Structures are given as C-alpha cells and as structure tokens.
Amino acid sequence: MDESAAYSSEDEDVSLTGSDFEFHLTTSKRKLNSTQGAAESPKRVRHLSVSGSSQSQTPEESRGLGSHGAQTEGRITACHLYEAVRSGRSALLTVIDDWLEEYRRDREAGILELINFVVQCSGCKGVVTREMFSRLQNADIISHLTTEFNEDSVSYPLVSVGSQWRHFREGVCEFVSLLVRGCRNSLLYDDFLFSSFIALLTGLADSQVRAFRHTSTLITMRLMSSIVSVAAEVTAQALMTRRRCELEKNKPVEHRAIDRIEELESSYRELLEHQEDLRSLMNGIFKGVFIHRYRDRVPEIRAICMEEMGVWLRENPASFFNDEHLKYVGWMLHDKQAAVRLQCVLTLQKLYVEKDFISRLELFTSRFKERILCMILDKDSDVAVETVKLLLLIKQQTDEGLSEEECAAVYPLVFATHRGLACAAGRFLYLTLCSVLDERSDKRSVSVLRLLAHFFIESEYHEHAAYLVDSLWDVAGEELKDWELMTSLLLQESGVEDELESALIDIMMCAVRQASEATPPSSRVQRKNLTAREKRLQAQERRRITNHFIPQLPQLLAKFSADVGKVSCLLRAPLYFQLEVYSTSGRLEKVCDIMLKHREDSVLDACVRVLCALCSDCYSFCGRAERAVSQLLDSTMEKFSSNLAEILQGSADEDDLYGAASSLNILAVFSSARDLTGRNLFEFCFQLLKMGIETREINEKLMVPALKCSVFHLFWEGAKIMQQTPARDKAELKRVMKALHLFCVVCQSCLSVAQSLIRNQAFVCLCDVLLVFGKLCEGDGSPLQRFSPDDSLKAEMASFIIDYVFSEPDEDLPGEEECEEMKMSALLQKRNQLSGYCKLIIYGVLELRAATDVLKYYSKFYRDFGDIIKETLSKSKMISSVESARTVCLCLQQLFSGQEQDRRDEELAEIRLLAKKLAMNFSINLRLIRKPLLALHQDGICFASQGLDEGDLMNLSFLEILSEFSFKLLQPERKQLSMSLRRVFASVINNEFVRIYERSLTSGSKETPAAETPSRKRRRTHSLTSSLETPAVTSHTHRVDMDDDFTEGSVLRKSVIHSRPQSSPFSPSIQSHLSTLSLGHEDASEDEEEPEIEDYDDEDSELGITLPSTHGSTSFLEDLFE
C-alpha cells in the first residue's frame, strides 16, 4: 500500500446507504444450518436495519404504539440493569449472568431489556415495547424516543454531577465489557443479538439529540474495544491451532493421529469463521459509528473515539496498527478543544512506550512530529505537559529521536510559570543532558552540575535560577542538594570560569532556598500544606544546610569579597539557616565589614537583611547583634555628619564627598528596614538637597540617597503617628505635614534637573509620599491623608510623564548587547514610574481627568505600556463609569485641539485609531454602558458645535472621531442623539462630517432588520428554532478536513481553511513561541453549515503558558532567545 495514501483524509472506502448505516453481518454456513428453525424471518432483519423513516407508520400510530401496554416485567428488568450500573453496589457479573439466562429463555425480551437499558442511560423516559420492536423500523423507534425527552433539561446521566453519578460512566463501560466477555463463546457470533443491538446503537449515534449520541457512542466504542480484545484472543487461538495441526501433520505416518488432525482442522475452520464474524462486527462499528463520531461537534464524543482508538491499536495491532487507523489520531491533534488534543497525546504515549510499535510509527512520527512540537506551547497546560512527556518518549524510544534544534525548543519551558509543565521540561532537560554521561563515572554529579550551569548561562534567564532549580528538583534533587560538592567546586584553588562560578553560586543559593522552604517560586502555583513527614524532612534538611554552611560561608565570602554579584547572592544563605545555631558560633560579624567595603545597593541590601534577621527578638544572641548594628550606625552617622559639615561650608574635597555618599548609602538602606527617625536624618538630608538645588552644584551620588533617606523618614514618622494617641496626633501630624511640604517642593525642583538618576528618584518619591499622605479628591481617607498637592506640582508631574516616560528610547547607545540591556532597564523604570502615577489617579489623589495625559498615548505606546493604561482605564470605570467616559472624550478633544495644520490628516487618522482602541475597552454588556456612552457622545457633540454660531466649522470633523463609539449604542440612545444632532447642527445638517456621524447612529443598531442577516445563517436560525419538539438538538458533525497534513507531497486543501498562523518552535524569537499557544484549527469552508465549536478562545485570550519575568511588558520577551 502506498504510504502517502494511508494519510489521505478521504474515507472513500466507506460505503453507506443513504444517511444511515445499514448493518450487514456475514454469517457462516454452519450458523445458517444451525438457525434454520429459528422463528426470526428475513423480514425481521430488515426491520432491525436503520434505513430511513418507515413509510408504513404515521407519527400518530408510532406515538400510539409507545403510549400503551408498556411491558411492566421488561421495564422492571431494564430498570434493574440501569440501577445496578448507576448505584455501583451490585455485582455486575451476577447481573449479566442473570440477563443471559433471561435472554436464552426469550431472546426478544432479552434484547428489549438491553435496548431499554441504553435508553435509560441516555436519560430518556421512553420505553421500547415488544410491539414497537416488532413493527417499527429503528429510525421510527428513535424518532419516537426523541419525543419522550424532558424538554426542560439538557442534562443526562453521562454529564450529570453529584456523588451518585460519579462512577456512572465507569459502570456503563464495565457492564459492556463484561457483557462481551460473557458472550464471547457463543452469543457474540449469534446473528440476532449483537447485529440487532449494534444496528440500534448506530442509529442512536447518528441522532440529533446529544444525549442519545453521546451515550450510544460511548457504549458502541467500548463494545468495539471489547470485541477487538476477543478478536485478538481468537486470532492467537487460530495461530496456535494451525501450528499444532501442522506439527501433527509433520509427524511420521505411523505416529500421525487422523482424528486429532480432523479435530484441529475443524477447530481451525471454526476459529476462522469467528474471525470473519468479528471482523464484520468491527467493520460495521468502525464505518457506522467511528467514522462519523470522531469528528462530532461535541468534544466529549470526539475524545471517547480517540481514547478507544488507542485501545484498538494496542489490543489488536495486527488489524488496527497501521497508518490507515493512526491517521485519525494525528488529525485530531489539531482539534480546537483541549480535551480531545489531550486524549490524542495520551493515546500516543501508550503507543510509543512499547518498543514493538516503534517501527510501525516511523511514518506517523515523520508526518506529525512538527505538530507535536508545536503543542508544547499549547494554551492548555495539561496538553503541553503531556506533550513534553510524549516528546521524551519519542527521543528515548526512536532511533532518530529528536534533533538538537528540536530539543532546544523544549528547554526554555523549564522557566514556565506552570509548575507541571516546567517539571516535565526539567525531566526532559535532565535526561537529555545525562544521556551523554557515563553512569558509572565517579564525576557524574560534577558533570551534571557543570552542564546545568552552562545551560543556565546560555538560556539568558539569569534572573530566574529559582525556576530552573524548581523544575529540576524532583528529578535532579540529589545533585542539587549536594552542598559539599558545590562548595568544594567553588573553593578549590584551580577554580572554574568566572561566569560558571556565578551561575553555580546562583543555582546553589536557589537550591538552599528550595530545600529550606520546600515551596516553589512565588509565581508558580503553591502546593497543598506540607504533611508531617515533609515538614520533618524539611527541618532535617535545614539543619544540614546550617551545619554545612556555618564554616563554609565565611570562606566563600572571603574568596569572592570583591565580586558584587557573588557576595550579594551568597549573603542570601543565612536567611534560610536555623539561626539558633549562631548563639555559639558568632561567625557573621564579617557582614558588617562587607557593608563598609561596598557601596552597591544589592550588597548593602543583602547585608541589612541578614543583620535585621539576626536582631530578631526570638534569638538569644539578638542583644549582641543589636549592639553590633548600633555601633555600625553610630560610626556611619559620625562620618556622615563630619563630611556633611565640610560640604555645607563649601570646603569639601573629593574624599569628603565620597565618604558622605558612602555613609549616606548605608543609612538609606538601613532606613528602609529600621526606624532611624531618632537620628534626625531628615534635617541633614533636607539641607543637602536644598543646597544642591539652590547652588545647582548637584552631586547625584549624594542627592539620590538623600532623597531615599528623606522619604523613608516621612514614612516612619507616619507609622508612629498611626500608633499614637489622638491628642498627640494633631501636633505630630502638623509637624510631618510641614516637613512633607518642604520635601515636595524640593522634589518638584528636582524633576527639571538634567541628571536622570536624581530626576527619576524624585518622581518615584513624590508618587510614594502622595499615595500615603495625599488628600483624596472625594472622601476622607486615612488620618495621614491630609496633604493636598497644588496645581503646579500636578502639572510638573504630568509634564514629567509626557517628557520622560512617553518618549522614544535613545538609539545612540554603544554596543548592541549593552544597548538592548539598557533599553530593557530603561523600559522597566518607565513602567514603574507610569504605574506610580496611575496609582495616584486610581486611589483618588489625582482627579480622574488627570488620566487624559496617559490615555493619549494608549495607541502609540501600546506595546510597552498598554497593559498599565488598560488597567487604569478599567479601574477608573469602577470609580465612576460616567466620569471615565468623559475623560476618554476629553483626551480625544485635547488631541484634536492640538493638531498641527501641516499634519492634520495624518494626526486625524491617528486620533481615530486611538478612539477605536478606546471604544473596544467599553464592556460588551451594552446595558451597563448606556449612561457612560451617552455622556461621552453628548460631550463630543457639545465640543464639535463650539464656534458654530460664529461660522467656525473646524470642530465638525471631531464627529468623525466620535462615530467610532456609536456601534455600542442601544436604540433609545441612538434616537436621542439623532434628535440632538439635528437640533444642534440644523444649519449644517448636510455637512460631510455630520452625515458620517448620523449614519453611524442609524446603521448597525441592535434592532437590525432580519433582511440584513446572511441567508445561510437565517436558515440555520430558523431550523434550530422550529424544532422545539426535539430537545437538546444540535448539529453534530465537526468537519476536520486536513488533507495536506497527512500526505507526502504538497496537496491543495479541498476546502478553504482559515487557520491562525503557527510558527515553528525553533524560531529564535520567544514571541514566536508565544504566538503558537492557540492550537485550534478553524474550518471556515463556504459550504459548511455546521456552527463553530463553542468555548474557543481567540488569540487575545490569556495565554496558558507564561514565562517568569520581572518586566511587565511582552516586548521584553521578544528577542530573549536570539
């Protein structure tokens, strides 16, 4: 067979009669002879087929047949079967044995019990009576049952929730499996029982009623799986019988047993007949049910088909394990619903785990490996997790495996925020790295650590070692917790490369945190509470860490004391120790020496964290630690005071400036963690800031820490006020408000200085103090919120946002890598500044209309700040939806008024684009936004009419911008605005812009006439609304035409398919990874009348996989892996 033909999506070999399946069972001569005396005539077999509607029975007669004479005994027995499955308390094997005995006594009554069991499992109240079974075709029986459904509910047992339905599906599947096992020796080859049962199930599986279709498909697919199992056993028996017969024939004539040979030949012929009968049953189910239902509109039905297909492939590979059947699993990897894709991946996992199947999967692997690689970025995390596991099996089991480029597509997922996906990728990474190592080598752990460090360096996610460690924790925990090995590598004289040392230290400290806290990084989903055993192991590991690092950490700090990054990283270790041990050791006084040697904020911050932890009251040595910190602060304050005196007198040299800056840095870091208000730092810092502003001799190394010290002093003062009695509050608050006013004046002056560090720090300080102390525009706020910023300060802050946040980055930066790093750092700083300003608006310190300076740049800077601006707009609606809408209109008015004459057309197009984006942010619930939109339009009309009395028509073009908001108006507002438009613009009613706005009010309303609906959709709407007598009716076929994915050559699609572009996972840009998260395949062929599958999110939905980042913009992720 041509391999390419095996993956053709056309099922040309499926021969069906009409729209229904006509079941034909090949019966052997032996069976015909044995059943000649049966009461069943050929006419009965015709009645059992589903061959369309019966012409001999009217609907009235059909209803009459089912409305009387329901056989009580049959109903009780059918209910007994149903209750036994539903309750799960009965032994199903005994129930089936009883039913088989009943069937042997009266086979028509037995089949009726089985049919009514299926009907009850579907949630239908109807009953198939003996008279209906004898006189009606299956199609008429199903039509009658459809009318018996409860139209008030679309629920049925398979989808019901609750404890009583929890195991219903498993019970049904077990019942079917046991039924086939009980019939495998005789009744399975009966020309009545299973032919009749499968014929009715085939008709039900093609019903428009979802309950019938879902239930019958589940039963039929499980029936098929059980028959496949029996067929595999029969095939094995036939092979063994033939072998035994051949062995007997090969014996010498004198030893040959003729009777034995005849018996074996008879058994072999009978087994061949059984094989043919079973093949006929399987072929009928496959072509009558599977071929139609694997692309059903209901995802649960499609998932059932894929699950059972996996069973057939494994149980009977001789008949099913070929490319003609594998192609269905490959096609459904493109399904829109995650449950179906997940089932396909799980099915493939069970195939690839078997070594015997690998050779048969070669063509499948070559055709679908690219698709599987794309699914590692599936929007559903469970699918992505199982896909990574599948790729690991492919790599381990197949000879060619995965190329380095394909493996490199999986590695970055160790940094994903979804822990399950990250751990699966971590296992993939670890086993891939270890595959090149010698298992018996004594240096295996050293090699693993080196390989992990090299991978961490090359990944360029240097801020996220904690994610890498957490991903590898389950599989590489032994190496990551080998503290002795890691410290020996770092302390050895020969040493390792500097970059490798940094990576190893970072990994080691993250492993220390993971072992000590036993929790994943913050953005990953937290596990449940630790068990008692896990807590005990955590405490043991923490003691082991403490005992090991007490003597080793001082040596590490001494060796790397000159390296800022390594020292700041190593100083995190004591935070995860059992600090009670230090009551006898006292080896961390070296931290104070490190503080005096370094000026970098990262080192100072790490030192302060350690010292503050040691000063905690819960430790016996806290007094000694407190004395050491006090001595450090006293000496630092003394140095700063002496240097400050020289600076204020104007006689300071470079050493004085350097000493003052170093001391002030230490004090600023301590101020963020300890209350230093008693040392009166604010007065000294204010003198320094005031002198710098007045003399314009600004030293940023002094001014920046001075601003930090001042703002922390104000915060500590505010915290003390909140703890004092009301009598003392007023005096203290007045003093703090005075200091706050002076500080804001200084900061306002700093906003216009040339030094960017001072300017940026001043703006951040202003945002922070106004958020804490700023008086609210509406309401009282906290007791501290008494400071009202004046208009000049508000204007200065708005100007800062416009000039320094919404500005293009400087392109003239040396070095490509340095330029990109500086751009990312600058972007992060700008985002923090914009967030601080927007918080003032959201929390009511600034009025809502201050947001106009931010909304103006929503379209232009959407890539960098779109998420912040969108969130601000959303929060402003919660404050006042009407004022928020008016703010949007005011923003557009300001942009319109500020247009330049020579660029008027270009700027007008930009304003319209902004208006379109802002309009999309209004709720889709049109009733909730009626008042806000009406207010927006009224303000817009008022603005457009300005100057109309004097003959000035310049503002009329604003109506074209305003028309972008008309599509969300309801009909009453449209009529009201139309009347207002004709009244205000009566003199210029024929103006072009007035007519554009008027058309926007009259077109596209919610009361659009039916004539504007496309004819195809009108037909569908009519057909669905007219069939009220058949509840839960759905169009149930989901087209999956994907020919070009499964043929060797390039074949044109037979239907027009519009699918979201999928880029290769090997792309150098991480953005290309994220763009492939939506894996659904859209079929939009012109002649397709089936509705689209529901619950399918578009590319604007929230991504299932996110990479950890301290940056809030996706622009940071764009070129991260280049």
Side-chain angles (χ1 to χ4, degrees):
M1 183 183 66
D2 185 12
E3 286 183 339
S4 62
Y7 288 98
S8 172
S9 67
E10 295 187 42
D11 299 306
E12 296 176 352
D13 58 338
V14 178
S15 177
L16 302 174
T17 302
S19 61
D20 297 320
F21 170 72
E22 188 170 357
F23 187 82
H24 299 282
L25 179 63
T26 303
T27 310
S28 64
K29 292 183 178 179
R30 175 183 55 79
K31 289 189 177 178
L32 290 174
N33 292 333
S34 64
T35 56
Q36 281 179 353
E40 193 63 27
S41 66
K43 182 179 179 182
R44 175 71 200 122
V45 176
R46 181 181 62 80
H47 281 176
L48 291 171
S49 65
V50 181
S51 56
S53 300
S54 173
Q55 301 298 323
S56 61
Q57 297 289 338
T58 64
E60 289 78 4
E61 292 171 332
S62 299
R63 286 192 294 271
L65 288 172
S67 60
H68 73 88
Q71 295 181 357
T72 306
E73 184 180 352
R75 286 195 64 175
I76 291 175
T77 309
C79 289
H80 174 62
L81 293 178
Y82 174 73
E83 286 300 323
V85 171
R86 186 183 67 83
S87 64
R89 291 190 292 269
S90 302
L92 289 182
L93 191 58
T94 304
V95 173
I96 290 173
D97 289 341
D98 294 342
W99 178 84
L100 288 173
E101 291 180 7
E102 176 69 21
Y103 177 79
R104 291 186 180 98
R105 288 194 298 269
D106 186 350
R107 67 177 188 174
E108 190 165 307
I111 190 67
L112 276 175
E113 294 165 10
L114 201 58
I115 290 172
N116 283 317
F117 166 72
V118 175
V119 172
Q120 284 185 298
C121 288
S122 301
C124 179
K125 297 179 180 179
V127 176
V128 179
T129 64
R130 187 183 292 266
E131 187 178 2
M132 292 171 60
F133 188 67
S134 303
R135 296 179 57 189
L136 295 182
Q137 298 282 351
N138 283 347
D140 297 324
I141 292 174
I142 295 169
S143 177
H144 169 75
L145 292 174
T146 300
T147 63
E148 297 292 331
F149 257 100
N150 180 10
E151 298 186 9
D152 297 332
S153 174
V154 295
S155 181
Y156 51 95
L158 278 183
V159 297
S160 297
V161 294
S163 57
Q164 60 177 339
W165 304 109
R166 189 174 302 160
H167 305 292
F168 181 75
R169 172 175 167 154
E170 289 79 4
V172 171
C173 294
E174 183 184 359
F175 176 84
V176 174
S177 299
L178 292 175
L179 175 64
V180 175
R181 298 297 294 177
C183 301
R184 70 184 183 276
N185 294 325
S186 58
L187 294 179
L188 189 57
Y189 313 104
D190 184 354
D191 63 344
F192 175 74
L193 173 59
F194 281 93
S195 61
S196 304
F197 190 44
I198 292 173
L200 184 69
L201 287 174
T202 304
L204 288 172
D206 199 42
S207 171
Q208 285 187 317
V209 180
R210 171 175 174 165
F212 277 150
R213 210 165 64 251
H214 189 180
T215 307
S216 59
T217 301
L218 173 65
I219 294 175
T220 309
M221 292 297 98
R222 183 48 63 100
L223 188 68
M224 174 78 161
S225 298
S226 302
I227 294 173
V228 165
S229 249
V230 174
E233 294 177 5
V234 171
T235 301
Q237 292 174 6
L239 290 174
M240 183 175 293
T241 304
R242 187 180 67 177
R243 191 178 302 115
R244 292 168 62 186
C245 184
E246 291 174 352
L247 288 174
E248 192 69 31
K249 287 181 179 179
N250 292 334
K251 290 181 180 181
V253 177
E254 60 274 13
H255 297 101
R256 193 179 301 166
I258 303 301
D259 294 340
R260 177 65 175 163
I261 292 175
E262 290 179 355
E263 181 184 354
L264 289 172
E265 287 179 344
S266 176
S267 297
Y268 182 63
R269 285 193 298 272
E270 184 179 2
L271 289 171
L272 289 181
E273 291 172 359
H274 287 177
Q275 278 185 310
E276 187 62 28
D277 293 342
L278 293 174
R279 189 178 298 112
S280 177
L281 287 173
M282 292 188 296
N283 189 54
I285 294 176
F286 186 80
K287 293 181 179 180
V289 179
F290 179 86
I291 288 296
H292 301 288
R293 299 283 69 79
Y294 88 92
R295 53 186 181 180
D296 194 279
R297 185 175 183 271
V298 180
E300 290 85 354
I301 296 178
R302 303 200 298 274
I304 289 170
C305 293
M306 291 302 103
E307 181 181 5
E308 299 304 324
M309 171 61 79
V311 176
W312 308 340
L313 293 169
R314 297 192 307 275
E315 292 289 335
N316 196 350
S319 300
F320 288 94
F321 208 114
N322 51 57
D323 296 324
E324 287 189 358
H325 293 93
L326 280 170
K327 66 183 180 183
Y328 296 106
V329 182
W331 290 346
M332 300 312 288
L333 290 173
H334 296 262
D335 196 273
K336 293 180 180 180
Q337 295 297 324
V340 184
R341 298 196 300 274
L342 177 61
Q343 192 57 61
C344 291
V345 174
L346 293 174
T347 296
L348 291 174
Q349 285 180 6
K350 296 173 183 177
L351 299 180
Y352 276 99
V353 79
E354 298 290 342
K355 275 286 187 183
D356 298 337
F357 295 161
I358 298 301
S359 59
R360 303 187 189 183
L361 286 165
E362 288 180 357
L363 179 60
F364 180 88
T365 305
S366 64
R367 295 305 303 151
F368 292 100
K369 184 164 64 173
E370 183 178 355
R371 169 60 184 162
I372 294 172
L373 283 164
C374 288
M375 291 174 67
I376 62 176
L377 298 174
D378 196 283
K379 63 191 289 187
D380 185 89
S381 300
D382 293 335
V383 177
V385 170
E386 298 303 328
T387 302
V388 173
K389 294 178 181 178
L390 174 61
L391 287 172
L392 180 58
L393 285 173
I394 293 175
K395 179 174 176 59
Q396 292 175 333
Q397 298 288 81
T398 58
D399 295 332
E400 297 180 359
L402 300 176
S403 65
E404 283 297 324
E405 187 182 14
E406 291 166 342
C407 290
V410 182
Y411 296 156
L413 296 179
V414 297
F415 298 102
T417 53
H418 187 275
R419 192 170 192 274
L421 176 59
C423 289
R427 181 176 179 81
F428 183 94
L429 171 64
Y430 178 78
L431 295 179
T432 303
L433 295 179
C434 291
S435 62
V436 300
L437 302 178
D438 185 2
E439 292 290 338
R440 295 171 296 179
S441 175
D442 296 333
K443 297 184 178 180
R444 183 179 181 278
S445 296
V446 177
S447 302
V448 169
L449 289 174
R450 285 180 175 271
L451 288 173
L452 290 178
H454 279 296
F455 168 76
F456 179 57
I457 293 169
E458 294 173 2
S459 70
E460 299 183 5
Y461 276 98
H462 299 159
E463 298 179 7
H464 303 295
Y467 290 85
L468 174 62
V469 169
D470 184 52
S471 302
L472 295 164
W473 196 251
D474 296 334
V475 67
E478 182 180 349
E479 289 85 356
L480 292 173
K481 290 188 285 188
D482 196 342
W483 319 121
E484 292 81 4
L485 178 60
M486 285 190 276
T487 51
S488 63
L489 283 175
L490 293 170
L491 290 174
Q492 64 185 4
E493 293 182 2
S494 57
V496 293
E497 300 87 350
D498 182 69
E499 195 174 20
L500 200 62
E501 278 182 344
S502 299
L504 193 57
I505 289 174
D506 206 354
I507 291 173
M508 182 176 69
M509 288 299 103
C510 292
V512 167
R513 186 209 67 81
Q514 184 90 1
S516 175
E517 296 184 348
T519 56
S522 57
S523 61
R524 284 188 176 165
V525 178
Q526 296 288 334
R527 296 188 303 166
K528 296 181 179 179
N529 294 332
L530 298 178
T531 62
R533 182 177 178 275
E534 289 174 335
K535 290 180 179 179
R536 186 172 63 255
L537 292 176
Q538 176 193 0
Q540 292 175 0
E541 192 61 44
R542 195 163 188 170
R543 280 195 299 271
R544 195 168 75 88
I545 291 171
T546 306
N547 294 331
H548 172 75
F549 279 98
I550 283 176
Q552 299 292 337
L553 187 58
Q555 299 179 43
L556 292 170
L557 290 173
K559 180 176 180 180
F560 302 111
S561 60
D563 193 305
V564 174
K566 295 173 185 176
V567 168
S568 58
C569 189
L570 287 169
L571 284 171
R572 299 206 308 261
L575 301 178
Y576 310 114
F577 293 172
Q578 284 187 337
L579 291 178
E580 295 86 352
V581 179
Y582 288 104
S583 61
T584 57
S585 62
R587 299 189 180 187
L588 281 183
E589 281 77 4
K590 189 175 180 64
V591 175
C592 297
D593 297 334
I594 294 175
M595 287 199 72
L596 298 175
K597 292 179 181 179
H598 289 273
R599 293 183 56 191
E600 291 76 10
D601 289 344
S602 59
V603 177
L604 296 177
D605 184 65
C607 291
V608 169
R609 287 177 182 272
V610 173
L611 292 174
C612 290
L614 293 174
C615 292
S616 176
D617 294 339
C618 61
Y619 303 122
S620 59
F621 56 86
C622 64
R624 185 178 57 182
E626 189 69 47
R627 285 193 298 273
V629 171
S630 297
Q631 290 173 4
L632 175 63
L633 288 174
D634 291 340
S635 61
T636 304
M637 193 69 191
E638 184 178 352
K639 292 178 183 178
F640 173 67
S641 301
S642 60
N643 293 327
L644 179 62
E646 297 293 333
I647 293 172
L648 295 177
Q649 292 174 8
S651 59
D653 54 12
E654 291 185 2
D655 292 339
D656 294 330
L657 294 175
Y658 179 82
S662 300
S663 302
L664 200 54
N665 269 331
I666 296 174
L667 294 172
V669 175
F670 265 110
S671 296
S672 64
R674 293 172 65 92
D675 183 5
L676 301 183
T677 53
R679 299 180 183 272
N680 201 19
L681 272 176
F682 181 81
E683 183 178 347
F684 296 136
C685 293
F686 180 74
Q687 292 177 5
L688 188 61
L689 293 169
K690 184 179 179 182
M691 187 193 73
I693 295 297
E694 291 176 351
T695 61
R696 289 295 173 180
E697 296 179 359
I698 299 175
N699 187 328
E700 63 182 25
K701 294 181 181 179
L702 281 172
M703 296 281 283
V704 171
L707 288 168
K708 291 181 181 178
C709 282
S710 301
V711 75
F712 283 126
H713 176 89
L714 293 172
F715 289 156
W716 283 112
E717 290 283 7
K720 289 198 298 185
I721 290 175
M722 295 296 291
Q723 298 173 0
Q724 290 176 356
T725 59
R728 296 185 58 188
D729 273 354
K730 293 183 179 179
E732 290 293 330
L733 187 58
K734 184 176 181 181
R735 181 178 61 82
V736 172
M737 289 298 115
K738 182 178 179 181
L740 177 62
H741 174 73
L742 296 174
F743 179 71
C744 289
V745 170
V746 170
C747 287
Q748 182 177 347
S749 302
C750 291
L751 293 179
S752 57
V753 301
Q755 290 87 341
S756 61
L757 288 177
I758 300 174
R759 190 172 60 229
N760 294 333
Q761 186 61 48
F763 184 82
V764 171
C765 290
L766 277 174
C767 291
D768 290 343
V769 296
L770 290 179
L771 194 62
V772 176
F773 297 101
K775 187 176 182 180
L776 302 184
C777 299
E778 295 182 6
D780 296 331
S782 71
L784 294 178
Q785 293 180 306
R786 294 291 181 267
F787 179 76
S788 298
D790 55 21
D791 293 338
S792 64
L793 178 58
K794 295 178 183 178
E796 197 73 38
M797 294 182 71
S799 299
F800 181 91
I801 289 291
I802 295 171
D803 295 338
Y804 300 111
V805 174
F806 295 114
S807 60
E808 297 295 338
D810 187 6
E811 300 293 341
D812 302 328
L813 294 174
E816 184 175 351
E817 292 185 3
E818 292 81 357
C819 176
E820 288 301 319
E821 187 174 348
M822 293 176 67
K823 283 181 179 178
M824 290 299 103
S825 177
L827 177 60
L828 177 60
Q829 187 176 60
K830 288 180 178 180
R831 286 176 60 85
N832 289 336
Q833 292 167 352
L834 181 61
S835 299
Y837 186 77
C838 291
K839 282 181 184 178
L840 297 178
I841 298 172
I842 293 171
Y843 287 100
V845 178
L846 300 178
E847 59 273 7
L848 275 182
R849 301 212 163 195
T852 55
D853 296 317
V854 176
L855 297 178
K856 292 176 185 177
Y857 300 94
Y858 180 54
S859 178
K860 185 176 181 181
F861 289 90
Y862 182 82
R863 181 189 184 87
D864 296 332
F865 310 114
D867 56 335
I868 299 175
I869 301 175
K870 192 173 183 179
E871 184 67 15
T872 303
L873 191 58
S874 175
K875 295 295 184 182
S876 68
K877 295 174 189 174
M878 297 172 64
I879 298 171
S880 173
S881 57
V882 174
E883 283 302 316
S884 176
R886 285 178 170 167
T887 301
V888 169
C889 187
L890 178 62
C891 162
L892 298 173
Q893 293 172 16
Q894 291 176 357
L895 287 173
F896 183 85
S897 302
Q899 294 180 97
E900 299 177 5
Q901 291 298 327
D902 52 345
R903 297 182 64 248
R904 187 173 182 84
D905 293 341
E906 180 181 348
E907 290 186 356
L908 190 61
E910 292 177 358
I911 299 173
R912 285 196 63 184
L913 177 61
L914 173 62
K916 188 176 296 184
K917 280 183 173 284
L918 292 173
M920 296 303 295
N921 280 283
F922 283 88
S923 172
I924 60 174
N925 188 339
L926 303 187
R927 297 189 179 277
L928 289 178
I929 58 173
R930 294 179 67 175
K931 290 183 179 180
L933 271 183
L934 181 60
L936 184 147
H937 280 271
Q938 289 173 340
D939 286 0
I941 291 174
C942 182
F943 175 78
S945 65
Q946 290 179 5
L948 198 62
D949 296 338
E950 291 79 14
D952 185 4
L953 305 181
M954 291 295 294
N955 286 359
L956 282 181
S957 57
F958 186 78
L959 292 175
E960 185 179 6
I961 299 171
L962 196 60
S963 65
E964 298 292 344
F965 297 88
S966 300
F967 74 100
K968 289 196 173 184
L969 287 169
L970 293 179
Q971 196 63 21
E973 284 72 31
R974 290 174 184 268
K975 292 180 180 179
Q976 181 179 349
L977 290 172
S978 295
M979 295 174 59
S980 176
L981 183 72
R982 295 190 188 97
R983 184 180 68 255
V984 175
F985 298 98
S987 59
V988 288
I989 195 65
N990 292 324
N991 183 274
E992 175 189 1
F993 300 108
V994 177
R995 293 180 65 84
I996 289 175
Y997 182 62
E998 187 176 17
R999 280 198 302 271
S1000 74
L1001 295 176
T1002 56
S1003 64
S1005 66
K1006 298 302 287 184
E1007 298 180 8
T1008 305
E1012 297 182 11
T1013 305
S1015 59
R1016 182 168 64 87
K1017 292 188 176 181
R1018 286 205 312 275
R1019 287 199 305 271
R1020 179 184 309 286
T1021 304
H1022 175 71
S1023 65
L1024 290 177
T1025 55
S1026 62
S1027 55
L1028 297 178
E1029 58 187 7
T1030 55
V1033 173
T1034 57
S1035 181
H1036 54 271
T1037 301
H1038 171 51
R1039 296 290 297 272
V1040 187
D1041 298 327
M1042 304 175 188
D1043 305 321
D1044 60 335
D1045 285 335
F1046 319 108
T1047 55
E1048 293 288 343
S1050 298
V1051 182
L1052 293 176
R1053 294 185 184 269
K1054 292 179 177 56
S1055 61
V1056 181
I1057 295 176
H1058 302 281
S1059 62
R1060 194 171 298 120
Q1062 292 185 3
S1063 57
S1064 171
F1066 325 132
S1067 172
S1069 172
I1070 193 63
Q1071 190 65 27
S1072 65
H1073 287 247
L1074 298 177
S1075 67
T1076 62
L1077 292 176
S1078 297
L1079 301 174
H1081 180 85
E1082 294 185 23
D1083 185 355
S1085 55
E1086 293 297 329
D1087 58 345
E1088 178 62 61
E1089 295 228 353
E1090 316 302 340
E1092 291 295 314
I1093 288 185
E1094 302 140 332
D1095 300 326
Y1096 179 63
D1097 298 330
D1098 60 12
E1099 59 187 356
D1100 291 332
S1101 63
E1102 184 179 358
L1103 301 180
I1105 303 173
T1106 55
L1107 297 177
S1109 177
T1110 53
H1111 307 268
S1113 173
T1114 53
S1115 60
F1116 168 73
L1117 299 174
E1118 272 221 337
D1119 302 316
L1120 201 55
F1121 279 86
E1122 284 188 350

